[in-house]
Every structure is written in C-alpha cells, then in structure tokens.
Amino acid sequence: MRWSASTGAPSEGLRSARSGIDTSVAHPARRYGYWLGGKDHFTADRASGDAIAAAFPDIRTAAAENRRLHRRVVTFLAGQAGVRQFLDIGAGIPGPDNTHEVAQRIDPACRVVYVDNDPIVINHSRALLSSSPQGATAVLDADVRTPQDIRHHSDVTGTLDLTRPVALLLFAVLHFLPDEDKPHEVVAELVDALPAGSYLAVSHATYDFMPPHTITALEAATAVHDRFQPRTLDEVDRFFYGLEVVAPGVVPTPHWRPDDQAASQPTPAEAAAYTAVARIPPRR
C-alpha cells in the first residue's frame, strides 16, 4: 500500500456522497493520518487533531514514533524463524512502509491480512493493495471489539494458515477500547486463535509521563467523540499475561530496540506510549 496520488484534502461533500462516510465525526485513523501529514481527512478530523495537539503539542512526534516503531517491530518479527504471516488490526490509512511492504522485503512470501473499520481505510487499502507475487494480502472490514468475526472470517482463514505462526499486530488501537469493551479479554481471544510460536505486538497510549495539567487538557479534548482510555504500565503489561515477552519488555516506544542510525529519539513523555512484543508459548 502507498499514499494516494491525489493532491490536497478530499472533497468532503463528494466523498461523503459516494461512500456514505460520516464526515461530521472525527475518526482516529483519519486523524492519525492528518498528524502524519496525509491528505485523507476531513474538517472534523482536523479540528479534533488540532484540539489534541493544543493540549499535547508532541502528538505529531508521538504519531511518527509509532510509525517508526511499527517498522522496527515488523522487521524483527519477519526475522523470526517460521513467522511469515501477519494479522494487522487497526491498520490505518496506507502510508510508507506498511506491514506487507516491510515484511516482504525480508521474505517475499510473507502473507498479511489488514483489518480496520473505517471506510476510507478499507477503500484505499483495497484500491492500492500490491503484494509481492510470492506472498498474499487481504483487507477485512471488521472491528477489533468483535474478535470472533475476525478470527473466523474467510479473508483471514483463506489468506493465513492458522496452524502456523502468525504475528498479531495491535498498534495504537487498544486505547480506543474502554474497560467496558473488555480489551484484555478481546486480546486473549485473538491470541487463543493462534498457534504456539506466534507473536503479539502492541503499542498503547499512556498518560504515565504527563503532568496533571496536560492530562486534564487531553481529557477535555478527547471527551467529545472519542472513547479513549490510555493505560498505565501495569495495565498494558496485562495484555501479555501468560506470554513470553521478548527483551526489552514492556517499555516506552522509543526504548523498544531503537535504530542505531537514528540521530535522536523522542523521550517517553513525547512518545506517550508503551509497547512490547511477546511469543505465544506451547499450550499445556
């Protein structure tokens, strides 16, 4: 997948009339793309993004670091023995170095399923999808809150062999599941569908490094449309219960195997997220 070749922001009336997309409500994937400099967003997304940036000026740094983290994690996972399949949930609008591009540079036979619930993400992904001839990719319109619909969908079972290791990617998505959505149970159900030798990779927003006034401002900025719940270190660690967390453990995103060639790294306060990668051990 790659960025759309269009220039400028999309025509809101035209896009909404053609696709039925509700442009009056901000969507996390479009807002995230706006922070990253993309073009596929609407007034509501920009207004929400600007409000969050006013409360937390480092948000664009945090978004960019999450993308760099994604590349590092996929590179690591594609280098593990037997891991040639990826399930990327909450994939977001296509940009540089998508999961299949990173993985297939390492092994062209890698297979990837992207999952998202935003029509723009789905439309762009299907239009721009370009796998290597040896591999395969699919795009599924589904919601992480219904893991059973994902794990049993024909796009998943027809693209991935669930008897062989799969890397499950949940980047910047679980903080949109408040506790009433039972996010830890959701992750456990997804992990339970995967065989031993598979991996779980998560990045998750946190307020742990923020001063109280920033937290108050962010809570006000996200209260209108978002069901947003950042989590503490202990709460993020719970997603990996029973799994074999690889070094360096559950850490701020800049601290997860940083690039040696990078001139500088964001601070944990600027990145405002935790991450970890864990291997699924044999079931007893």
Side-chain angles (χ1 to χ4, degrees), residues 28-279:
R30 300 195 302 263
R31 184 178 57 208
Y32 181 65
Y34 170 58
W35 288 328
L36 290 173
K39 298 178 174 62
D40 294 290
H41 42 73
F42 301 99
T43 299
D45 307 310
R46 297 189 289 274
S48 175
D50 290 344
I52 291 172
F56 178 51
D58 292 315
I59 187 60
R60 288 178 174 83
T61 298
E65 173 57 24
N66 192 69
R67 285 296 299 179
R68 288 190 292 267
L69 169 75
H70 168 270
R71 177 180 51 77
R72 299 197 304 271
V73 168
V74 174
T75 299
F76 167 80
L77 291 170
Q80 303 309 297
V83 179
R84 294 298 178 267
Q85 304 184 106
F86 295 80
L87 180 57
D88 187 345
I89 300 179
I93 295 173
D97 278 347
N98 297 284
T99 298
H100 77 282
E101 293 172 326
V102 176
Q104 289 178 356
R105 282 200 294 267
I106 295 169
D107 186 341
C110 286
R111 307 173 72 86
V112 178
V113 175
Y114 294 99
V115 181
D116 209 289
N117 68 347
D118 176 44
I120 285 185
V121 172
I122 299 301
N123 292 342
H124 276 52
S125 298
R126 288 175 175 163
L128 302 175
L129 193 65
S130 179
S131 174
S132 69
Q134 302 95 320
T137 53
V139 181
L140 172 60
D141 184 355
D143 195 305
V144 67
R145 287 181 287 257
T146 55
Q148 66 278 5
D149 293 343
I150 296 173
R151 59 186 287 185
H152 297 302
H153 197 281
S154 59
D155 284 346
V156 173
T157 58
T159 306
L160 307 179
D161 179 355
L162 298 183
T163 68
R164 301 179 65 83
V166 176
L168 171 61
L169 309 180
L170 292 161
F171 281 85
V173 64
L174 294 173
H175 44 242
F176 294 109
L177 275 64
D179 286 344
E180 55 262 35
D181 284 336
K182 300 181 178 180
H184 292 93
E185 287 84 348
V186 165
V187 172
E189 183 171 346
L190 290 167
V191 167
D192 188 59
L194 305 179
S198 296
Y199 284 81
L200 168 66
V202 170
S203 71
H204 196 298
T206 186
Y207 286 167
D208 281 0
F209 307 106
M210 295 181 185
H213 70 273
T214 300
I215 296 173
T216 300
L218 274 171
E219 288 174 342
T222 59
V224 179
H225 300 302
D226 286 326
R227 303 168 76 243
F228 181 72
Q229 185 168 341
R231 291 187 167 89
T232 65
L233 176 60
D234 287 344
E235 290 170 326
V236 174
D237 184 65
R238 279 183 55 204
F239 288 113
F240 300 95
Y241 178 77
L243 307 182
E244 299 171 349
V245 179
V246 303
V250 184
V251 295
T253 55
H255 295 171
W256 199 90
R257 302 184 180 228
D259 291 327
D260 292 336
Q261 68 271 25
S264 62
Q265 300 291 338
T267 66
E270 291 170 330
Y274 288 116
T275 193
V277 175
R279 184 176 182 274

